Amino acid sequence: MSVANLSYRAVFALVLKRDLTIAMRHKDDIINPLLFFVIVVTLFPLGIGPEAQTLSRIAPGIIWVAALLSTLLSLDRLFKSDHVDGSLEQMLLSPQPVFILVLAKIVAHWLITGLPLILIAPLLAVLLHLNEQSYGALILTLLLGTPVLSLLGAIGVALTVGIKKGGVLLSLLVLPLYIPVLIFATSAIDTAALGLPYSGQLAIIAALFFGSLTLAPFAVGAALKVSTN
Amino acid sequence: MILRYRIIRSKSKNDLHQNKANRVRLDFVRYFQYVKECIFPLSANLAASETDSLAAENQPALLSATNLTCIREERLLFDQLTLEINAGDIVQIEGPNGSGKTSLLRILAGLSQPYNGDVFYKNQLITQSREEFHQNLLYLGHLAGVKDEMTAQENLNFNLTLHGLSIHSSELEETLTLANLTGFEDSLASHLSAGQHRRIALARLYKSTADIWILDEPFTAIDKQGVNSLEQLFKAHIKQGGCVILTTHQDLLTFSPSQVKKITLDYIGE
């Protein structure tokens, strides 16, 4: 045995592997948000009627709103269980930088909840008669947008993790931050349907992604310190 | 060990609110310090190593605290608590339920911010030398920090690696044997009893290289034999120049009363 200063990459891999192991053994975490996403999207054609034109008109909005809500539903698990069993305290007391630990947890959360959404979204888009030209835009906006949802959501969870029933507060805190992503993503998909370039909207979502990727973990670390106080 | 503390019976409400305003300001200062440390970790380390070489000459106390004040839910738990813990000390914190034992331990570990006062590790503020302090600290709280979805061995491995100890799987098994968990290495923690849960967390002690052990009720749900072997472990640890700070409602049986330093927190609320 030796005392070793772990490289940041090793710490990142350690926490990521742990969270993925836990998720694989606790499959609810993966299945619940995905099932919610599928249910919401499939219910719309039943409620609105199978008319292709109407559906393809509202498809981007439906898919994105469902993705947003299903992320919100899964956010709670990000820090809650670690807080309840004390492992969050242990992480904060470890000599590793909080930034890396938090980033690894958020990446794990995205792999568990965001990635399955992206994989299944094209299938659901078929159900909604999404315009053929929009598929590329749909995948790209989801690829850039869902990590933003996880990153921004993590700030909200970190702030409310110490509160017993913080669910409502979490939605209130996080939803306004999600709105820009929603607006630009759906606008990109609509623009793509018209055959116009949508790189402008995509660039804004990419900016949101890199902005939150670099800044959110700091905010989450600070918020966790307040929450465990 | 120098140990002084005094509890002021009442503080006017005005005073409290005045302090609260200061506290908020202080929080902002701390937040900016924190952001600065994140961005410039090198400069913080440099400053720390300079003060370290100065302090090394007169053997600073491992852990010391000055003028600690803790207020929970508008109730004063302790005030102006000053303490100094040196290598080789075993300190038992006593007091009735709700007297602030856990709060004190959390403040000493740097998990909670005191209302007032500072905590030092080898004469450096723990907020300034976070990494070094945490490298030398082992804190086990009420909650064991053991994940139900992982096996005993995975839990131990994660906890050790996270705290910078690399260890082989054969050694992991050895350590779990020491913690009396033979045969449960590959059982999920959710299938184990409360005492075994606790033992998974405590198994870290056998491999710890930290100087400071802060243990909140470590004997909860542990059987007599386990308590005995833990006490032996504490003895070995303080002999090697570490210190143990713990709360427990039972007496440490294998230590002579003069060996154990006691801090008694008396609850005097407003």
Side-chain angles (χ1 to χ4, degrees), chain B residues 20-210:
Chain B
K20 231 173 214 169
N22 286 338
R23 176 92 202 272
V24 170
R25 213 160 48 226
L26 214 67
D27 278 345
F28 271 107
V29 173
R30 281 195 182 122
Y31 179 70
F32 284 119
Q33 259 175 11
Y34 165 75
V35 171
K36 203 180 100 191
E37 275 166 38
C38 289
I39 299 171
F40 308 111
L42 266 180
S43 60
N45 279 349
L46 263 178
S49 64
E50 270 168 34
T51 46
D52 200 34
S53 60
L54 278 177
E57 286 164 20
N58 41 358
Q59 275 293 321
L62 267 184
L63 194 66
S64 56
T66 49
N67 297 325
L68 285 185
T69 304
C70 176
I71 291 174
R72 283 277 179 272
E73 308 288 327
E74 302 272 318
R75 252 199 338 242
L76 190 66
L77 290 180
F78 46 84
D79 192 21
Q80 307 279 325
L81 178 71
T82 294
L83 53 87
E84 200 168 290
I85 295 157
N86 294 302
D89 283 343
I90 176 160
V91 182
Q92 183 179 4
I93 298 171
E94 290 181 320
N97 297 129
S99 58
K101 300 187 292 294
T102 297
S103 297
L104 177 59
L105 290 189
R106 288 176 69 89
I107 288 171
L108 290 179
L111 266 178
S112 299
Q113 301 295 326
Y115 188 78
N116 197 4
D118 295 302
V119 182
F120 299 90
Y121 168 67
K122 293 187 177 166
N123 287 348
Q124 298 166 38
L125 272 177
I126 57 168
T127 45
Q128 276 171 16
S129 55
R130 173 187 174 265
E131 208 163 304
E132 198 198 343
F133 175 56
H134 284 173
Q135 198 105 54
N136 288 301
L137 168 76
L138 193 155
Y139 170 87
L140 287 180
H142 273 296
L143 305 164
V146 170
K147 294 303 286 185
D148 274 347
E149 292 91 344
M150 299 206 291
T151 65
Q153 191 161 336
E154 284 168 340
N155 266 306
L156 180 62
N157 186 32
F158 177 78
N159 280 337
L160 287 173
T161 320
L162 187 69
H163 289 82
L165 298 169
S166 55
I167 185 167
H168 290 295
S169 58
S170 61
E171 271 180 297
L172 279 176
E173 263 169 45
E174 235 168 71
T175 314
L176 287 170
T177 309
L178 284 173
N180 212 355
L181 284 166
T182 322
F184 295 102
E185 292 93 346
D186 296 322
S187 313
L188 289 182
S190 54
H191 298 168
L192 300 180
S193 75
Q196 287 171 322
H197 244 232
R198 196 88 198 154
R199 280 171 184 276
I200 297 176
L202 289 166
R204 259 176 71 197
L205 296 176
Y206 291 96
K207 287 290 171 194
S208 171
T209 53

Side-chain angles (χ1 to χ4, degrees), chain A residues 48-147:
Chain A
I48 291 170
E51 199 190 338
Q53 218 169 4
T54 325
L55 283 177
S56 71
R57 173 83 195 80
I58 56 173
I62 293 172
I63 293 177
W64 256 97
V65 168
L68 201 144
L69 291 178
S70 93
T71 308
L72 199 64
L73 191 76
S74 65
L75 275 180
D76 218 24
R77 284 285 298 182
L78 190 50
F79 295 118
K80 198 91 186 179
S81 67
D82 281 353
H83 180 72
V84 169
D85 65 22
S87 36
L88 190 63
E89 275 175 10
Q90 289 300 332
M91 281 198 209
L92 292 178
L93 285 177
S94 75
Q96 319 303 344
V98 181
F99 182 94
I100 303 288
L101 300 173
V102 165
L103 192 64
K105 283 196 74 70
I106 298 173
V107 170
H109 177 261
W110 179 76
L111 288 175
I112 295 160
T113 62
L115 199 59
L117 288 194
I118 297 173
L119 295 177
I120 208 164
L123 199 68
L124 296 173
V126 175
L127 286 179
L128 295 174
H129 298 284
L130 187 75
N131 195 303
E132 277 163 36
Q133 289 169 301
S134 302
Y135 279 84
L138 176 71
I139 300 299
L140 280 176
T141 51
L142 282 174
L143 261 178
L144 284 171
T146 46

